[in-house]
Amino acid sequence: MTAQQAMQSTMGGDSHSLGSPRAEELLAAARAMGPALRERAAQCRAERKVPAETIADFQAAGFFKVLQPEQWGGYAMDPQVFYTLGLEVAKHCTSSAWVLGVVAVHNWQLALFDDQAAKDVWGDDPAVLISSSYAPVGKVTPVEGGFRLSGRWSFSSGSEHCDWAFLGAVVPTAEAPFDMANYRTFLVPISDYRIVDNWDVVGLQGTGSHDIVVEDAFVPEHRTHRVMDAFYCENPGNKVNDAPLFKLPFMQVFVRAVCNATLGCLEGSLEDFVEVARTRRVGPTLMQDDPVARRLAAEVKTSIEEMRRTMVSNFDAMMTLARAGQPIPVVDRVRYRYDSAVVADRCLELSGRMLKAAGSGAIRIGSPLLYRHLDILASQAHVANHSLPFAANMGGVLFGAENTDMAI
């Protein structure tokens, strides 16, 4: 396939792409789900988890199948489809979109593991879900056939809806007790861990991002995924899952899950801001007629569209190269990584300006603008949305230094 053919495919030329009939059906389902998601938002916050009804709706609509391999009943669609879908969900409930994003993307990562891992998880039920916590906090002891794993991981979003977990740890060696080049993701069944209910936060309350505790569990070699395999896009699972989708760098796909919900939340905030402007007065003038409010709304809308286009175009470029069997240049991967991380910064700034412009009523409990602002604020806590290290790495590369981040 030529690069030109690959670009045409990415832009709507096949059944896996944005603009295809299946993609349109998925987006229509997300739009139709909007009123129910808004109605359940208060329940989601109060119960500190996405309602079971919402997870069931996502399953029925096929949302968890979008990045799942076709051999397991998935759709194996382009990432542009998945993230456009998530943006629509996030307009109505940020926590639901966050959980959808980080849980459904695991169906893509599982395809990078040795194929036996997928058989372990989906052999009886391909709808089984996986949560995660990738922080390298686990204690690992190599043993025959695999590893012994122990530790406590925080921020495992959607864990109460999942039967397996991806957990991060560094495999020690005699030469390097802690070298991130030896980082792996460990796949663990729920029978080998317990969930500690401790998610008490000011934003993204509904993500149910509780702690996961493992006490000396055996993890076979085939249930691990090495960061260097992910970096070089040479994964054990590619022997079976060889479609271009599964040749993308792991972190490029995953990090969009944690900035995407933030961007969709900002779009929902703009809709709420417009509603406030219809009735709120700024002195004798309706806010919707105030030139300052109008300029702010225009700036927010333009910024949303700019960030959305950047996310889509970055994946267009990556999928074009993946379809052509060509590597994605490291300098581009560094930029794409920063493009993703800086989204939360921009969204928080714009959300704060709308909150201020909406007046004192916007800070009352029950204010949609306030709830969304707190969700965006909380999203910045995720390491993938901490833009400064990625900016420093990108600047260093521009100045001629070597890339220092294997998670690109």
Side-chain angles (χ1 to χ4, degrees), residues 258-327:
V258 294
C259 80
N260 203 62
T262 308
L263 181 56
C265 180
L266 182 67
E267 188 166 4
S269 295
L270 177 59
E271 293 180 357
D272 291 333
F273 183 70
V274 170
E275 286 302 311
V276 170
R278 297 186 194 282
T279 57
R280 181 175 182 267
R281 289 192 173 275
V282 182
T285 307
L286 276 175
M287 187 173 154
Q288 67 179 11
D289 297 324
D290 177 51
V292 175
R294 288 183 170 188
R295 284 197 296 269
L296 176 56
E299 182 179 347
V300 174
K301 179 64 174 177
T302 299
S303 296
I304 290 169
E305 294 305 318
E306 176 193 343
M307 287 184 277
R308 182 195 289 261
R309 283 195 301 272
T310 297
M311 295 297 106
V312 171
S313 66
N314 287 354
F315 273 116
D316 283 346
M318 286 190 281
M319 287 300 295
T320 293
L321 291 171
R323 286 192 169 98
Q326 299 176 7

Side-chain angles (χ1 to χ4, degrees), residues 43-56:
Q43 175 190 353
C44 189
R45 287 191 298 271
E47 295 182 353
R48 296 179 301 118
K49 66 179 181 180
V50 175
E53 297 91 336
T54 296
I55 297 296

Side-chain angles (χ1 to χ4, degrees), residues 49-85:
K49 66 179 181 180
V50 175
E53 297 91 336
T54 296
I55 297 296
D57 287 345
F58 289 167
Q59 289 277 26
F63 293 174
F64 290 111
K65 296 181 179 182
V66 178
L67 298 178
Q68 188 174 22
E70 291 178 317
Q71 63 166 318
W72 295 105
Y75 303 152
M77 302 187 77
D78 291 355
Q80 299 94 312
V81 177
F82 181 62
Y83 292 113
T84 301
L85 179 67

Side-chain angles (χ1 to χ4, degrees), residues 21-350:
R22 173 168 278 166
E24 291 302 316
E25 290 175 5
L26 289 163
L27 291 171
R31 287 189 287 268
M33 216 176 286
L37 293 173
R38 285 180 180 265
E39 184 177 339
R40 296 172 190 156
Q43 175 190 353
C44 189
R45 287 191 298 271
E47 295 182 353
R48 296 179 301 118
K49 66 179 181 180
V50 175
E53 297 91 336
T54 296
I55 297 296
D57 287 345
F58 289 167
Q59 289 277 26
F63 293 174
F64 290 111
K65 296 181 179 182
V66 178
L67 298 178
Q68 188 174 22
E70 291 178 317
Q71 63 166 318
W72 295 105
Y75 303 152
M77 302 187 77
D78 291 355
Q80 299 94 312
V81 177
F82 181 62
Y83 292 113
T84 301
L85 179 67
L87 289 172
E88 181 63 34
V89 171
K91 286 166 53 178
H92 309 293
C93 179
T94 320
S95 288
S96 295
W98 183 281
V99 169
L100 172 63
V102 299
V103 171
V105 81
H106 297 151
N107 289 354
W108 174 83
Q109 188 190 3
L110 186 57
L112 308 184
F113 280 66
D114 184 284
D115 191 51
Q116 182 59 50
K119 294 174 182 176
D120 293 348
V121 176
W122 291 327
D124 294 327
D125 181 4
V128 167
L129 302 177
I130 307 166
S131 70
S132 69
S133 182
Y134 292 102
V137 298
K139 178 182 177 181
V140 180
T141 303
V143 296
E144 183 178 356
F147 307 89
R148 306 299 304 189
L149 178 69
S150 298
R152 179 167 179 156
W153 292 260
S154 296
F155 313 117
S156 187
S157 301
S159 52
E160 292 172 289
H161 300 292
C162 300
D163 294 321
W164 292 73
F166 284 146
L167 302 173
V170 172
V171 177
T173 65
E175 300 77 19
F178 190 90
D179 183 349
M180 285 300 291
N182 296 324
Y183 175 92
R184 298 194 189 203
T185 302
F186 291 78
L187 173 64
V188 180
I190 196 168
S191 58
D192 286 346
Y193 65 83
R194 58 187 173 90
I195 299 171
V196 179
D197 186 336
N198 65 345
W199 188 240
D200 187 12
V201 289
V202 298
L204 293 175
Q205 295 99 324
T207 63
S209 304
H210 303 299
D211 283 10
I212 298 287
V213 175
V214 175
E215 297 174 352
D216 195 32
F218 174 70
V219 183
E221 174 74 27
H222 72 265
R223 290 187 196 159
T224 71
H225 181 217
R226 298 187 298 180
V227 69
M228 298 310 294
D229 290 344
F231 179 78
Y232 289 112
C233 303
E234 296 175 351
N235 305 285
N238 292 144
K239 295 177 181 177
V240 175
N241 302 301
D242 59 356
L245 169 65
F246 303 109
K247 301 295 182 62
L248 297 177
F250 161 67
M251 198 54 73
Q252 294 292 342
V253 178
F254 175 77
V255 296
R256 300 309 190 279
V258 294
C259 80
N260 203 62
T262 308
L263 181 56
C265 180
L266 182 67
E267 188 166 4
S269 295
L270 177 59
E271 293 180 357
D272 291 333
F273 183 70
V274 170
E275 286 302 311
V276 170
R278 297 186 194 282
T279 57
R280 181 175 182 267
R281 289 192 173 275
V282 182
T285 307
L286 276 175
M287 187 173 154
Q288 67 179 11
D289 297 324
D290 177 51
V292 175
R294 288 183 170 188
R295 284 197 296 269
L296 176 56
E299 182 179 347
V300 174
K301 179 64 174 177
T302 299
S303 296
I304 290 169
E305 294 305 318
E306 176 193 343
M307 287 184 277
R308 182 195 289 261
R309 283 195 301 272
T310 297
M311 295 297 106
V312 171
S313 66
N314 287 354
F315 273 116
D316 283 346
M318 286 190 281
M319 287 300 295
T320 293
L321 291 171
R323 286 192 169 98
Q326 299 176 7
I328 303 165
V330 169
V331 65
D332 292 335
R333 289 166 63 169
V334 168
R335 175 170 59 84
Y336 300 155
R337 188 68 185 81
Y338 176 68
D339 284 343
S340 176
V342 80
V343 167
D345 296 340
R346 296 183 65 186
C347 289
L348 185 65
E349 188 264 334
L350 293 167

